[in-house]
Amino acid sequence: MKKVLIIITIILSTHQLSMAQQVDHTIWSTFLQNHVSKDGHVDYKNIKANNTELTNYLNQFVEISPSKTWKKNEILAYWINAYNAFTVKLIIDNYPVQSIKDIKDPWDQKFIPIDGELISLNDIEHEILRKMDEPRIHFAIVCASESCPKLQNKAFVADKLEEQLTNATKEFLDDNTKNRITKNELELSKIFKWFSKDFKQKGSLIDFLNQYSEVQISEGAKIKYLDYSWELND
């Protein structure tokens, strides 16, 4: 009987440890609903004045990082939310600014403390997320600029990630300030030019677009790219 009890205790302890290693993204969802409009505009001024919610969320990343036991969607949600939350921190640490580009080396600053080291936004995007073979991450991570995809006002979570990534992609394509799509002519965000390799993993760029666009695009459609606004998304 004592041996059985010991085994049960070990199992419970392991389960509790596993639970403790997960970031509580509900804190981020609450924060987003309080400070981000439905169209993705961020109230940086008020966040800077009272950043307790943001700090509480970011502190979790200092203590928790993905392990080998995490599923792919858990890892994706972790890094997408980390990218977005630390981008907000970067802005408020330098606010007021007119653009993220007003900040020195915004994407290369090593200011994000995860797993005992400091990493940058570029590390998250290029060395982690882009290597996970999920091109829709480009419509989930937000660089605090008008031409970026909008910052969703709910956290990305593992059990809803497929739906969330699909919706974010469709919203971005349907926004005619970001993309203008007809059957034979495309005026696209430069995101599709900068990261073209990511969207061609399973066919052409048009093959990718046709999975999410309301318009069925011709394979021979002409493509040009719109100017990209780096004005702050406030």
Side-chain angles (χ1 to χ4, degrees), residues 12-172:
L12 285 172
S13 297
T14 303
H15 174 70
Q16 289 165 351
L17 180 60
S18 176
M19 292 296 290
Q21 289 175 337
Q22 294 293 326
V23 172
D24 181 6
H25 296 304
T26 61
I27 299 172
W28 182 229
S29 278
T30 300
F31 171 87
L32 291 168
Q33 288 162 22
N34 288 337
H35 299 291
V36 180
S37 68
K38 288 184 178 180
D39 57 3
H41 288 101
V42 185
D43 189 355
Y44 293 110
K45 183 178 180 180
N46 281 336
I47 296 169
K48 186 175 181 69
N50 183 6
N51 61 11
T52 303
E53 285 178 306
L54 179 62
T55 300
N56 288 342
Y57 182 62
L58 295 178
N59 282 342
Q60 294 185 86
F61 290 94
V62 178
E63 303 294 334
I64 302 168
S65 59
S67 71
K68 293 179 180 179
T69 63
W70 286 29
K71 296 178 181 178
K72 181 179 179 179
N73 281 1
E74 291 173 332
I75 298 171
L76 280 167
Y78 175 98
W79 288 113
I80 290 169
N81 291 325
Y83 185 98
N84 290 339
F86 279 102
T87 297
V88 171
K89 175 174 171 53
L90 179 68
I91 297 299
I92 66 165
D93 283 351
N94 293 275
Y95 193 83
V97 289
Q98 297 298 312
S99 166
I100 190 171
K101 285 194 163 186
D102 293 339
I103 303 167
K104 184 179 179 181
D105 300 325
W107 296 289
D108 288 319
Q109 285 188 32
K110 303 271 187 185
F111 74 101
I112 303 169
I114 293 179
D115 201 21
E117 64 177 315
L118 293 176
I119 63 173
S120 68
L121 293 170
N122 268 346
D123 289 331
I124 294 176
E125 180 175 8
H126 300 296
E127 299 304 319
I128 300 171
L129 284 171
R130 290 186 65 200
K131 291 182 177 181
M132 293 186 71
D133 298 324
E134 177 46 83
R136 292 174 298 174
I137 60 104
H138 292 294
F139 315 111
I141 58 174
V142 181
C143 59
S145 304
E146 282 291 342
S147 287
C148 292
K150 77 175 190 181
L151 181 60
Q152 301 289 328
N153 64 359
K154 288 185 179 179
F156 287 88
V157 291
D159 60 349
K160 296 179 181 177
L161 191 65
E162 176 63 28
E163 178 185 358
Q164 288 179 309
L165 290 176
T166 294
N167 288 343
T169 304
K170 287 181 175 180
E171 280 187 348
F172 185 69

